[in-house]
Amino acid sequence: MNRHHDPNPFDEEEVNPFSNGPAAPASRSQVPSVTSEPIGFGQKYGATVDIPLDNMNEPKKKERELASWEADLKRREKEIKRREEAIAKAGVPTDDRNWPPFFPIIHHDISKEIPIHAQRLQYLAFASWLGIVLCLVFNVIAVIVCWIKGGGVKIFFLATIYALLGVPMSYVLWYRPLYRAMRTDSALKFSWFFLFYLIHIGFCIFAAIAPPVVFHGKSLTGILAAIDVISDSLLAGIFYMIGFGLFVLESLLSLWVIQKIYMFFRGNK
């Protein structure tokens, strides 16, 4: 039974009183319904393809990072160059050779490079180094006198070896480390100094005694060698006694210096 076109009994008919005949029922305007049909894959307007923008922007991002990195490097180079120029303008001393003045072979400038509170100790250590240089040079002179008086050439060669090795080694092994330790306050440099300065003190005490170990001890101007030489030659014995006094003074000065520097080192740490 088809009831799709039956009139609705509850609908009111619109009657026009001015019309001649019976009014026809008003026709309803029907709006066509729009049905949505799913558009499947492969049709004209199929599935949407998403293209990520990150992949497109990645080369530009890397390019910006490289540019930033390059700019940072240039900035650091300019900063380093500016500091170097500032140091040069400030007159910061470099390690150029300036001592001794008549024939510069080492760099040495206590008044400008060592802190004021440590300059006195550095001057004492410098005096100690000059003392060992004096002892070794005078030792060669005294041994030459002994050689002339019949002491033999072997002791002269040994004394010369002591001087040629002792002077530069004392500077390199303990004086220069102390100089740099005072400049930079380096504990490692101080430790290096203490180690080799103790060896220096041991050598000074050994030279002041000059036991008859090598060639009866006459290659060093110690007390035992002086007693042995003075019986053969008074002049050579006098030179040996002077050399003995120099080694004694150097030993005492060195003991005092290491004590003062150790107290300074402990006080700073």
Side-chain angles (χ1 to χ4, degrees), residues 70 89 121 149:
E70 184 178 359
K89 291 180 181 179
L121 288 178
K149 294 298 182 178

Side-chain angles (χ1 to χ4, degrees), residues 162-182:
Y162 297 155
L164 293 178
L165 292 181
V167 173
M169 289 181 65
S170 60
Y171 174 78
V172 172
L173 294 180
W174 61 263
Y175 182 73
R176 187 172 64 178
L178 176 64
Y179 189 90
R180 293 181 176 178
M182 290 294 190

Side-chain angles (χ1 to χ4, degrees), residues 32-40 43:
S33 60
V34 180
T35 60
S36 61
E37 296 181 357
I39 301 175
Q43 297 184 11

Side-chain angles (χ1 to χ4, degrees), residues 73-85:
L73 283 180
K74 290 182 179 179
R75 181 184 60 79
R76 292 184 181 182
E77 289 177 359
K78 291 181 180 179
E79 181 68 17
I80 293 173
K81 187 175 181 181
R82 185 188 64 79
R83 290 183 181 180
E84 290 178 351
E85 291 177 354

Side-chain angles (χ1 to χ4, degrees), residues 3-18:
R3 300 182 59 181
H4 180 71
H5 298 286
D6 291 344
N8 190 347
F10 298 98
D11 288 343
E12 295 180 358
E13 295 183 357
E14 295 181 3
V15 179
N16 189 352
F18 300 100

Side-chain angles (χ1 to χ4, degrees), residues 156-231:
F156 166 73
F157 285 121
L158 284 175
T160 304
I161 292 173
Y162 297 155
L164 293 178
L165 292 181
V167 173
M169 289 181 65
S170 60
Y171 174 78
V172 172
L173 294 180
W174 61 263
Y175 182 73
R176 187 172 64 178
L178 176 64
Y179 189 90
R180 293 181 176 178
M182 290 294 190
R183 286 174 59 183
T184 60
D185 196 23
S186 172
L188 181 61
K189 299 287 185 185
F190 273 109
S191 302
W192 188 272
F193 161 76
F194 287 128
L195 173 63
F196 286 98
Y197 200 68
L198 288 173
I199 297 175
H200 157 77
I201 294 174
F203 172 77
C204 292
I205 296 174
F206 179 84
I209 300 173
V213 177
V214 182
F215 299 107
H216 303 287
K218 293 182 180 180
S219 59
L220 292 170
T221 56
I223 184 62
L224 297 181
I227 295 173
D228 188 17
V229 170
I230 200 170
S231 59

Side-chain angles (χ1 to χ4, degrees), residues 108-130:
H108 194 261
D109 197 349
I110 296 177
S111 61
K112 293 183 180 180
E113 297 181 344
I114 305 301
I116 297 177
H117 65 281
Q119 288 184 5
R120 181 173 178 271
L121 288 178
Q122 191 64 44
Y123 278 117
L124 287 176
F126 185 55
S128 176
W129 181 69
L130 293 178

Side-chain angles (χ1 to χ4, degrees), residues 81-101:
K81 187 175 181 181
R82 185 188 64 79
R83 290 183 181 180
E84 290 178 351
E85 291 177 354
I87 291 174
K89 291 180 181 179
V92 176
T94 56
D95 289 345
D96 55 338
R97 299 175 181 179
N98 60 352
W99 193 91

